PDB file of all heavy atoms in Angstrom:
ATOM      1  N   THR A  13     138.288 -73.924  89.933  1.00  0.00           N
ATOM      2  CA  THR A  13     139.116 -72.749  90.135  1.00  0.00           C
ATOM      3  C   THR A  13     140.033 -72.543  88.943  1.00  0.00           C
ATOM      4  O   THR A  13     140.536 -73.503  88.357  1.00  0.00           O
ATOM      5  CB  THR A  13     139.971 -72.847  91.403  1.00  0.00           C
ATOM      6  OG1 THR A  13     140.748 -74.049  91.368  1.00  0.00           O
ATOM      7  CG2 THR A  13     139.094 -72.854  92.640  1.00  0.00           C
ATOM      8  N   ALA A  14     140.245 -71.285  88.620  1.00  0.00           N
ATOM      9  CA  ALA A  14     141.165 -70.919  87.551  1.00  0.00           C
ATOM     10  C   ALA A  14     142.570 -70.828  88.114  1.00  0.00           C
ATOM     11  O   ALA A  14     142.789 -70.237  89.169  1.00  0.00           O
ATOM     12  CB  ALA A  14     140.752 -69.598  86.925  1.00  0.00           C
ATOM     13  N   THR A  15     143.519 -71.392  87.404  1.00  0.00           N
ATOM     14  CA  THR A  15     144.903 -71.347  87.826  1.00  0.00           C
ATOM     15  C   THR A  15     145.593 -70.139  87.218  1.00  0.00           C
ATOM     16  O   THR A  15     145.109 -69.520  86.274  1.00  0.00           O
ATOM     17  CB  THR A  15     145.649 -72.619  87.422  1.00  0.00           C
ATOM     18  OG1 THR A  15     145.803 -72.644  85.992  1.00  0.00           O
ATOM     19  CG2 THR A  15     144.885 -73.857  87.858  1.00  0.00           C
ATOM     20  N   ALA A  16     146.764 -69.823  87.769  1.00  0.00           N
ATOM     21  CA  ALA A  16     147.541 -68.709  87.247  1.00  0.00           C
ATOM     22  C   ALA A  16     147.967 -68.949  85.809  1.00  0.00           C
ATOM     23  O   ALA A  16     148.178 -67.996  85.058  1.00  0.00           O
ATOM     24  CB  ALA A  16     148.760 -68.466  88.129  1.00  0.00           C
ATOM     25  N   GLY A  17     148.085 -70.204  85.437  1.00  0.00           N
ATOM     26  CA  GLY A  17     148.485 -70.538  84.086  1.00  0.00           C
ATOM     27  C   GLY A  17     147.354 -70.540  83.075  1.00  0.00           C
ATOM     28  O   GLY A  17     147.593 -70.816  81.895  1.00  0.00           O
ATOM     29  N   GLY A  18     146.130 -70.254  83.528  1.00  0.00           N
ATOM     30  CA  GLY A  18     145.012 -70.154  82.609  1.00  0.00           C
ATOM     31  C   GLY A  18     144.193 -71.416  82.442  1.00  0.00           C
ATOM     32  O   GLY A  18     143.242 -71.434  81.657  1.00  0.00           O
ATOM     33  N   SER A  19     144.531 -72.468  83.153  1.00  0.00           N
ATOM     34  CA  SER A  19     143.746 -73.689  83.105  1.00  0.00           C
ATOM     35  C   SER A  19     142.740 -73.711  84.244  1.00  0.00           C
ATOM     36  O   SER A  19     142.675 -72.790  85.053  1.00  0.00           O
ATOM     37  CB  SER A  19     144.652 -74.916  83.156  1.00  0.00           C
ATOM     38  OG  SER A  19     145.371 -74.954  84.377  1.00  0.00           O
ATOM     39  N   THR A  20     141.958 -74.771  84.321  1.00  0.00           N
ATOM     40  CA  THR A  20     140.912 -74.890  85.325  1.00  0.00           C
ATOM     41  C   THR A  20     141.054 -76.196  86.082  1.00  0.00           C
ATOM     42  O   THR A  20     141.244 -77.254  85.482  1.00  0.00           O
ATOM     43  CB  THR A  20     139.516 -74.830  84.678  1.00  0.00           C
ATOM     44  OG1 THR A  20     139.383 -73.626  83.929  1.00  0.00           O
ATOM     45  CG2 THR A  20     138.431 -74.891  85.741  1.00  0.00           C
ATOM     46  N   ASN A  21     140.975 -76.109  87.397  1.00  0.00           N
ATOM     47  CA  ASN A  21     140.931 -77.286  88.251  1.00  0.00           C
ATOM     48  C   ASN A  21     139.498 -77.525  88.694  1.00  0.00           C
ATOM     49  O   ASN A  21     138.814 -76.596  89.114  1.00  0.00           O
ATOM     50  CB  ASN A  21     141.822 -77.101  89.474  1.00  0.00           C
ATOM     51  CG  ASN A  21     143.288 -77.047  89.125  1.00  0.00           C
ATOM     52  OD1 ASN A  21     143.730 -77.684  88.172  1.00  0.00           O
ATOM     53  ND2 ASN A  21     144.061 -76.292  89.900  1.00  0.00           N
ATOM     54  N   TYR A  22     139.069 -78.774  88.621  1.00  0.00           N
ATOM     55  CA  TYR A  22     137.711 -79.139  88.993  1.00  0.00           C
ATOM     56  C   TYR A  22     137.718 -80.064  90.198  1.00  0.00           C
ATOM     57  O   TYR A  22     138.607 -80.909  90.345  1.00  0.00           O
ATOM     58  CB  TYR A  22     136.989 -79.841  87.846  1.00  0.00           C
ATOM     59  CG  TYR A  22     136.775 -78.981  86.626  1.00  0.00           C
ATOM     60  CD1 TYR A  22     137.704 -78.964  85.596  1.00  0.00           C
ATOM     61  CD2 TYR A  22     135.636 -78.190  86.503  1.00  0.00           C
ATOM     62  CE1 TYR A  22     137.506 -78.174  84.474  1.00  0.00           C
ATOM     63  CE2 TYR A  22     135.434 -77.401  85.383  1.00  0.00           C
ATOM     64  CZ  TYR A  22     136.368 -77.392  84.371  1.00  0.00           C
ATOM     65  OH  TYR A  22     136.167 -76.608  83.255  1.00  0.00           O
ATOM     66  N   ALA A  23     136.707 -79.908  91.038  1.00  0.00           N
ATOM     67  CA  ALA A  23     136.514 -80.857  92.117  1.00  0.00           C
ATOM     68  C   ALA A  23     136.232 -82.236  91.534  1.00  0.00           C
ATOM     69  O   ALA A  23     135.605 -82.365  90.477  1.00  0.00           O
ATOM     70  CB  ALA A  23     135.358 -80.421  93.010  1.00  0.00           C
ATOM     71  N   ASP A  24     136.697 -83.262  92.225  1.00  0.00           N
ATOM     72  CA  ASP A  24     136.490 -84.620  91.731  1.00  0.00           C
ATOM     73  C   ASP A  24     135.010 -84.934  91.515  1.00  0.00           C
ATOM     74  O   ASP A  24     134.657 -85.683  90.600  1.00  0.00           O
ATOM     75  CB  ASP A  24     137.093 -85.631  92.699  1.00  0.00           C
ATOM     76  CG  ASP A  24     138.612 -85.626  92.679  1.00  0.00           C
ATOM     77  OD1 ASP A  24     139.200 -85.122  91.709  1.00  0.00           O
ATOM     78  OD2 ASP A  24     139.215 -86.136  93.645  1.00  0.00           O
ATOM     79  N   SER A  25     134.164 -84.363  92.339  1.00  0.00           N
ATOM     80  CA  SER A  25     132.744 -84.658  92.273  1.00  0.00           C
ATOM     81  C   SER A  25     132.074 -84.137  91.007  1.00  0.00           C
ATOM     82  O   SER A  25     130.990 -84.608  90.648  1.00  0.00           O
ATOM     83  CB  SER A  25     132.027 -84.092  93.502  1.00  0.00           C
ATOM     84  OG  SER A  25     132.203 -82.691  93.592  1.00  0.00           O
ATOM     85  N   VAL A  26     132.690 -83.167  90.335  1.00  0.00           N
ATOM     86  CA  VAL A  26     132.084 -82.581  89.144  1.00  0.00           C
ATOM     87  C   VAL A  26     132.921 -82.791  87.895  1.00  0.00           C
ATOM     88  O   VAL A  26     132.475 -82.446  86.794  1.00  0.00           O
ATOM     89  CB  VAL A  26     131.817 -81.074  89.330  1.00  0.00           C
ATOM     90  CG1 VAL A  26     131.022 -80.822  90.597  1.00  0.00           C
ATOM     91  CG2 VAL A  26     133.123 -80.283  89.339  1.00  0.00           C
ATOM     92  N   LYS A  27     134.084 -83.350  88.041  1.00  0.00           N
ATOM     93  CA  LYS A  27     134.991 -83.531  86.912  1.00  0.00           C
ATOM     94  C   LYS A  27     134.331 -84.372  85.828  1.00  0.00           C
ATOM     95  O   LYS A  27     133.758 -85.430  86.098  1.00  0.00           O
ATOM     96  CB  LYS A  27     136.290 -84.176  87.384  1.00  0.00           C
ATOM     97  CG  LYS A  27     137.436 -84.082  86.395  1.00  0.00           C
ATOM     98  CD  LYS A  27     138.737 -84.561  87.030  1.00  0.00           C
ATOM     99  CE  LYS A  27     139.117 -83.718  88.238  1.00  0.00           C
ATOM    100  NZ  LYS A  27     140.403 -84.159  88.855  1.00  0.00           N
ATOM    101  N   GLY A  28     134.421 -83.894  84.607  1.00  0.00           N
ATOM    102  CA  GLY A  28     133.812 -84.575  83.487  1.00  0.00           C
ATOM    103  C   GLY A  28     132.376 -84.181  83.230  1.00  0.00           C
ATOM    104  O   GLY A  28     131.826 -84.536  82.175  1.00  0.00           O
ATOM    105  N   ARG A  29     131.754 -83.469  84.159  1.00  0.00           N
ATOM    106  CA  ARG A  29     130.368 -83.049  84.009  1.00  0.00           C
ATOM    107  C   ARG A  29     130.223 -81.532  83.906  1.00  0.00           C
ATOM    108  O   ARG A  29     129.328 -81.041  83.224  1.00  0.00           O
ATOM    109  CB  ARG A  29     129.522 -83.546  85.179  1.00  0.00           C
ATOM    110  CG  ARG A  29     129.496 -85.061  85.322  1.00  0.00           C
ATOM    111  CD  ARG A  29     128.505 -85.506  86.393  1.00  0.00           C
ATOM    112  NE  ARG A  29     128.873 -85.012  87.724  1.00  0.00           N
ATOM    113  CZ  ARG A  29     128.118 -84.215  88.461  1.00  0.00           C
ATOM    114  NH1 ARG A  29     126.937 -83.808  88.016  1.00  0.00           N
ATOM    115  NH2 ARG A  29     128.527 -83.826  89.662  1.00  0.00           N
ATOM    116  N   PHE A  30     131.085 -80.797  84.590  1.00  0.00           N
ATOM    117  CA  PHE A  30     131.015 -79.339  84.616  1.00  0.00           C
ATOM    118  C   PHE A  30     132.164 -78.752  83.807  1.00  0.00           C
ATOM    119  O   PHE A  30     133.274 -79.300  83.802  1.00  0.00           O
ATOM    120  CB  PHE A  30     131.110 -78.807  86.052  1.00  0.00           C
ATOM    121  CG  PHE A  30     129.922 -79.099  86.926  1.00  0.00           C
ATOM    122  CD1 PHE A  30     128.933 -79.983  86.542  1.00  0.00           C
ATOM    123  CD2 PHE A  30     129.815 -78.468  88.158  1.00  0.00           C
ATOM    124  CE1 PHE A  30     127.841 -80.249  87.356  1.00  0.00           C
ATOM    125  CE2 PHE A  30     128.734 -78.721  88.981  1.00  0.00           C
ATOM    126  CZ  PHE A  30     127.738 -79.613  88.584  1.00  0.00           C
ATOM    127  N   THR A  31     131.905 -77.620  83.162  1.00  0.00           N
ATOM    128  CA  THR A  31     132.913 -76.942  82.368  1.00  0.00           C
ATOM    129  C   THR A  31     132.829 -75.439  82.594  1.00  0.00           C
ATOM    130  O   THR A  31     131.749 -74.853  82.513  1.00  0.00           O
ATOM    131  CB  THR A  31     132.749 -77.232  80.872  1.00  0.00           C
ATOM    132  OG1 THR A  31     132.782 -78.647  80.638  1.00  0.00           O
ATOM    133  CG2 THR A  31     133.879 -76.583  80.076  1.00  0.00           C
ATOM    134  N   VAL A  32     133.968 -74.829  82.869  1.00  0.00           N
ATOM    135  CA  VAL A  32     134.055 -73.385  83.039  1.00  0.00           C
ATOM    136  C   VAL A  32     134.464 -72.740  81.726  1.00  0.00           C
ATOM    137  O   VAL A  32     135.337 -73.253  81.016  1.00  0.00           O
ATOM    138  CB  VAL A  32     135.067 -73.018  84.140  1.00  0.00           C
ATOM    139  CG1 VAL A  32     135.359 -71.519  84.140  1.00  0.00           C
ATOM    140  CG2 VAL A  32     134.558 -73.462  85.499  1.00  0.00           C
ATOM    141  N   SER A  33     133.844 -71.620  81.407  1.00  0.00           N
ATOM    142  CA  SER A  33     134.253 -70.835  80.257  1.00  0.00           C
ATOM    143  C   SER A  33     134.152 -69.356  80.608  1.00  0.00           C
ATOM    144  O   SER A  33     133.538 -68.983  81.611  1.00  0.00           O
ATOM    145  CB  SER A  33     133.410 -71.159  79.018  1.00  0.00           C
ATOM    146  OG  SER A  33     132.043 -70.863  79.239  1.00  0.00           O
ATOM    147  N   ARG A  34     134.761 -68.533  79.774  1.00  0.00           N
ATOM    148  CA  ARG A  34     134.786 -67.098  80.022  1.00  0.00           C
ATOM    149  C   ARG A  34     134.593 -66.333  78.727  1.00  0.00           C
ATOM    150  O   ARG A  34     135.032 -66.782  77.659  1.00  0.00           O
ATOM    151  CB  ARG A  34     136.112 -66.673  80.659  1.00  0.00           C
ATOM    152  CG  ARG A  34     136.204 -66.901  82.150  1.00  0.00           C
ATOM    153  CD  ARG A  34     137.586 -67.320  82.558  1.00  0.00           C
ATOM    154  NE  ARG A  34     137.869 -68.680  82.132  1.00  0.00           N
ATOM    155  CZ  ARG A  34     138.938 -69.367  82.488  1.00  0.00           C
ATOM    156  NH1 ARG A  34     139.847 -68.822  83.267  1.00  0.00           N
ATOM    157  NH2 ARG A  34     139.118 -70.605  82.054  1.00  0.00           N
ATOM    158  N   ASP A  35     133.934 -65.212  78.837  1.00  0.00           N
ATOM    159  CA  ASP A  35     133.818 -64.264  77.743  1.00  0.00           C
ATOM    160  C   ASP A  35     134.397 -62.956  78.260  1.00  0.00           C
ATOM    161  O   ASP A  35     133.708 -62.183  78.926  1.00  0.00           O
ATOM    162  CB  ASP A  35     132.368 -64.088  77.302  1.00  0.00           C
ATOM    163  CG  ASP A  35     132.240 -63.241  76.053  1.00  0.00           C
ATOM    164  OD1 ASP A  35     133.120 -62.402  75.787  1.00  0.00           O
ATOM    165  OD2 ASP A  35     131.239 -63.413  75.327  1.00  0.00           O
ATOM    166  N   ASN A  36     135.655 -62.726  77.973  1.00  0.00           N
ATOM    167  CA  ASN A  36     136.333 -61.559  78.519  1.00  0.00           C
ATOM    168  C   ASN A  36     135.731 -60.250  78.019  1.00  0.00           C
ATOM    169  O   ASN A  36     135.700 -59.260  78.748  1.00  0.00           O
ATOM    170  CB  ASN A  36     137.820 -61.613  78.180  1.00  0.00           C
ATOM    171  CG  ASN A  36     138.543 -62.722  78.907  1.00  0.00           C
ATOM    172  OD1 ASN A  36     138.172 -63.109  80.016  1.00  0.00           O
ATOM    173  ND2 ASN A  36     139.591 -63.248  78.288  1.00  0.00           N
ATOM    174  N   ALA A  37     135.256 -60.242  76.781  1.00  0.00           N
ATOM    175  CA  ALA A  37     134.655 -59.028  76.238  1.00  0.00           C
ATOM    176  C   ALA A  37     133.404 -58.628  77.011  1.00  0.00           C
ATOM    177  O   ALA A  37     133.085 -57.447  77.122  1.00  0.00           O
ATOM    178  CB  ALA A  37     134.338 -59.212  74.765  1.00  0.00           C
ATOM    179  N   LYS A  38     132.685 -59.611  77.523  1.00  0.00           N
ATOM    180  CA  LYS A  38     131.470 -59.355  78.292  1.00  0.00           C
ATOM    181  C   LYS A  38     131.703 -59.388  79.798  1.00  0.00           C
ATOM    182  O   LYS A  38     130.755 -59.228  80.569  1.00  0.00           O
ATOM    183  CB  LYS A  38     130.400 -60.377  77.931  1.00  0.00           C
ATOM    184  CG  LYS A  38     129.938 -60.325  76.485  1.00  0.00           C
ATOM    185  CD  LYS A  38     128.863 -61.370  76.216  1.00  0.00           C
ATOM    186  CE  LYS A  38     128.384 -61.318  74.778  1.00  0.00           C
ATOM    187  NZ  LYS A  38     127.347 -62.349  74.505  1.00  0.00           N
ATOM    188  N   ASN A  39     132.947 -59.617  80.201  1.00  0.00           N
ATOM    189  CA  ASN A  39     133.279 -59.734  81.624  1.00  0.00           C
ATOM    190  C   ASN A  39     132.364 -60.725  82.328  1.00  0.00           C
ATOM    191  O   ASN A  39     131.839 -60.459  83.414  1.00  0.00           O
ATOM    192  CB  ASN A  39     133.212 -58.370  82.302  1.00  0.00           C
ATOM    193  CG  ASN A  39     134.286 -57.426  81.819  1.00  0.00           C
ATOM    194  OD1 ASN A  39     135.473 -57.722  81.921  1.00  0.00           O
ATOM    195  ND2 ASN A  39     133.874 -56.287  81.279  1.00  0.00           N
ATOM    196  N   THR A  40     132.204 -61.860  81.707  1.00  0.00           N
ATOM    197  CA  THR A  40     131.281 -62.870  82.199  1.00  0.00           C
ATOM    198  C   THR A  40     131.952 -64.233  82.252  1.00  0.00           C
ATOM    199  O   THR A  40     132.666 -64.616  81.321  1.00  0.00           O
ATOM    200  CB  THR A  40     130.035 -62.943  81.307  1.00  0.00           C
ATOM    201  OG1 THR A  40     129.391 -61.667  81.282  1.00  0.00           O
ATOM    202  CG2 THR A  40     129.055 -63.976  81.834  1.00  0.00           C
ATOM    203  N   ALA A  41     131.711 -64.939  83.335  1.00  0.00           N
ATOM    204  CA  ALA A  41     132.152 -66.315  83.480  1.00  0.00           C
ATOM    205  C   ALA A  41     130.941 -67.227  83.481  1.00  0.00           C
ATOM    206  O   ALA A  41     129.846 -66.835  83.902  1.00  0.00           O
ATOM    207  CB  ALA A  41     132.948 -66.494  84.769  1.00  0.00           C
ATOM    208  N   TYR A  42     131.131 -68.443  83.020  1.00  0.00           N
ATOM    209  CA  TYR A  42     130.044 -69.403  82.906  1.00  0.00           C
ATOM    210  C   TYR A  42     130.430 -70.716  83.555  1.00  0.00           C
ATOM    211  O   TYR A  42     131.602 -71.075  83.631  1.00  0.00           O
ATOM    212  CB  TYR A  42     129.700 -69.669  81.438  1.00  0.00           C
ATOM    213  CG  TYR A  42     129.348 -68.445  80.647  1.00  0.00           C
ATOM    214  CD1 TYR A  42     130.316 -67.759  79.920  1.00  0.00           C
ATOM    215  CD2 TYR A  42     128.047 -67.959  80.622  1.00  0.00           C
ATOM    216  CE1 TYR A  42     130.000 -66.633  79.192  1.00  0.00           C
ATOM    217  CE2 TYR A  42     127.717 -66.834  79.895  1.00  0.00           C
ATOM    218  CZ  TYR A  42     128.692 -66.172  79.176  1.00  0.00           C
ATOM    219  OH  TYR A  42     128.366 -65.051  78.452  1.00  0.00           O
ATOM    220  N   LEU A  43     129.421 -71.421  83.999  1.00  0.00           N
ATOM    221  CA  LEU A  43     129.592 -72.779  84.478  1.00  0.00           C
ATOM    222  C   LEU A  43     128.540 -73.643  83.803  1.00  0.00           C
ATOM    223  O   LEU A  43     127.349 -73.549  84.124  1.00  0.00           O
ATOM    224  CB  LEU A  43     129.456 -72.865  85.996  1.00  0.00           C
ATOM    225  CG  LEU A  43     129.650 -74.262  86.595  1.00  0.00           C
ATOM    226  CD1 LEU A  43     131.086 -74.741  86.380  1.00  0.00           C
ATOM    227  CD2 LEU A  43     129.296 -74.265  88.078  1.00  0.00           C
ATOM    228  N   GLN A  44     128.978 -74.453  82.855  1.00  0.00           N
ATOM    229  CA  GLN A  44     128.092 -75.389  82.188  1.00  0.00           C
ATOM    230  C   GLN A  44     128.027 -76.662  83.012  1.00  0.00           C
ATOM    231  O   GLN A  44     129.052 -77.298  83.261  1.00  0.00           O
ATOM    232  CB  GLN A  44     128.594 -75.697  80.777  1.00  0.00           C
ATOM    233  CG  GLN A  44     127.744 -76.703  80.016  1.00  0.00           C
ATOM    234  CD  GLN A  44     126.368 -76.179  79.691  1.00  0.00           C
ATOM    235  OE1 GLN A  44     126.227 -75.051  79.232  1.00  0.00           O
ATOM    236  NE2 GLN A  44     125.340 -76.989  79.945  1.00  0.00           N
ATOM    237  N   MET A  45     126.839 -77.038  83.425  1.00  0.00           N
ATOM    238  CA  MET A  45     126.638 -78.194  84.283  1.00  0.00           C
ATOM    239  C   MET A  45     125.782 -79.212  83.546  1.00  0.00           C
ATOM    240  O   MET A  45     124.624 -78.939  83.223  1.00  0.00           O
ATOM    241  CB  MET A  45     125.976 -77.794  85.598  1.00  0.00           C
ATOM    242  CG  MET A  45     126.727 -76.707  86.352  1.00  0.00           C
ATOM    243  SD  MET A  45     125.977 -76.328  87.954  1.00  0.00           S
ATOM    244  CE  MET A  45     124.410 -75.633  87.401  1.00  0.00           C
ATOM    245  N   ASN A  46     126.349 -80.364  83.290  1.00  0.00           N
ATOM    246  CA  ASN A  46     125.656 -81.445  82.609  1.00  0.00           C
ATOM    247  C   ASN A  46     125.531 -82.647  83.527  1.00  0.00           C
ATOM    248  O   ASN A  46     126.240 -82.762  84.524  1.00  0.00           O
ATOM    249  CB  ASN A  46     126.403 -81.844  81.330  1.00  0.00           C
ATOM    250  CG  ASN A  46     126.515 -80.722  80.329  1.00  0.00           C
ATOM    251  OD1 ASN A  46     125.601 -79.914  80.182  1.00  0.00           O
ATOM    252  ND2 ASN A  46     127.642 -80.670  79.619  1.00  0.00           N
ATOM    253  N   SER A  47     124.641 -83.548  83.164  1.00  0.00           N
ATOM    254  CA  SER A  47     124.438 -84.776  83.936  1.00  0.00           C
ATOM    255  C   SER A  47     124.264 -84.484  85.414  1.00  0.00           C
ATOM    256  O   SER A  47     124.887 -85.108  86.278  1.00  0.00           O
ATOM    257  CB  SER A  47     125.605 -85.739  83.709  1.00  0.00           C
ATOM    258  OG  SER A  47     125.757 -86.057  82.338  1.00  0.00           O
ATOM    259  N   LEU A  48     123.406 -83.541  85.710  1.00  0.00           N
ATOM    260  CA  LEU A  48     123.241 -83.093  87.088  1.00  0.00           C
ATOM    261  C   LEU A  48     122.673 -84.192  87.975  1.00  0.00           C
ATOM    262  O   LEU A  48     121.837 -84.995  87.550  1.00  0.00           O
ATOM    263  CB  LEU A  48     122.348 -81.862  87.131  1.00  0.00           C
ATOM    264  CG  LEU A  48     123.045 -80.568  86.710  1.00  0.00           C
ATOM    265  CD1 LEU A  48     122.037 -79.493  86.354  1.00  0.00           C
ATOM    266  CD2 LEU A  48     123.974 -80.082  87.816  1.00  0.00           C
ATOM    267  N   LYS A  49     123.146 -84.194  89.208  1.00  0.00           N
ATOM    268  CA  LYS A  49     122.749 -85.164  90.211  1.00  0.00           C
ATOM    269  C   LYS A  49     122.115 -84.448  91.398  1.00  0.00           C
ATOM    270  O   LYS A  49     122.394 -83.275  91.642  1.00  0.00           O
ATOM    271  CB  LYS A  49     123.967 -85.959  90.700  1.00  0.00           C
ATOM    272  CG  LYS A  49     124.757 -86.646  89.605  1.00  0.00           C
ATOM    273  CD  LYS A  49     126.009 -87.293  90.173  1.00  0.00           C
ATOM    274  CE  LYS A  49     126.821 -87.974  89.093  1.00  0.00           C
ATOM    275  NZ  LYS A  49     128.061 -88.594  89.655  1.00  0.00           N
ATOM    276  N   PRO A  50     121.283 -85.144  92.163  1.00  0.00           N
ATOM    277  CA  PRO A  50     120.701 -84.504  93.351  1.00  0.00           C
ATOM    278  C   PRO A  50     121.747 -83.920  94.290  1.00  0.00           C
ATOM    279  O   PRO A  50     121.496 -82.884  94.920  1.00  0.00           O
ATOM    280  CB  PRO A  50     119.917 -85.644  94.005  1.00  0.00           C
ATOM    281  CG  PRO A  50     119.524 -86.515  92.867  1.00  0.00           C
ATOM    282  CD  PRO A  50     120.700 -86.472  91.920  1.00  0.00           C
ATOM    283  N   GLU A  51     122.903 -84.554  94.396  1.00  0.00           N
ATOM    284  CA  GLU A  51     123.944 -84.047  95.278  1.00  0.00           C
ATOM    285  C   GLU A  51     124.590 -82.762  94.782  1.00  0.00           C
ATOM    286  O   GLU A  51     125.388 -82.152  95.497  1.00  0.00           O
ATOM    287  CB  GLU A  51     125.024 -85.113  95.523  1.00  0.00           C
ATOM    288  CG  GLU A  51     125.559 -85.745  94.258  1.00  0.00           C
ATOM    289  CD  GLU A  51     124.904 -87.080  93.944  1.00  0.00           C
ATOM    290  OE1 GLU A  51     123.658 -87.163  94.036  1.00  0.00           O
ATOM    291  OE2 GLU A  51     125.619 -88.043  93.616  1.00  0.00           O
ATOM    292  N   ASP A  52     124.259 -82.334  93.568  1.00  0.00           N
ATOM    293  CA  ASP A  52     124.709 -81.042  93.075  1.00  0.00           C
ATOM    294  C   ASP A  52     123.852 -79.896  93.597  1.00  0.00           C
ATOM    295  O   ASP A  52     124.179 -78.728  93.362  1.00  0.00           O
ATOM    296  CB  ASP A  52     124.695 -81.009  91.543  1.00  0.00           C
ATOM    297  CG  ASP A  52     125.690 -81.980  90.928  1.00  0.00           C
ATOM    298  OD1 ASP A  52     126.824 -82.088  91.446  1.00  0.00           O
ATOM    299  OD2 ASP A  52     125.336 -82.629  89.924  1.00  0.00           O
TER     300      ASP A  52
END
């Protein structure tokens, strides 16, 4: 989740593996998911 201050909070289960980014010019948000596990 994006915070009001512009940072991102991650669930413990994905912390260190998933990264959120945004391209405001394209009005697009991204979720980069690495080291994927079956529980994802």
Side-chain angles (χ1 to χ4, degrees):
T13 55
T15 70
S19 62
T20 304
N21 293 328
Y22 296 92
D24 288 341
S25 59
V26 307
K27 195 172 299 181
R29 300 187 297 119
F30 291 11
T31 304
V32 169
S33 61
R34 279 144 288 189
D35 187 334
N36 291 330
K38 297 180 179 179
N39 293 302
T40 301
Y42 304 93
L43 181 65
Q44 178 67 46
M45 305 184 294
N46 299 324
S47 302
L48 283 162
K49 305 175 181 179
E51 50 262 46
D52 295 319

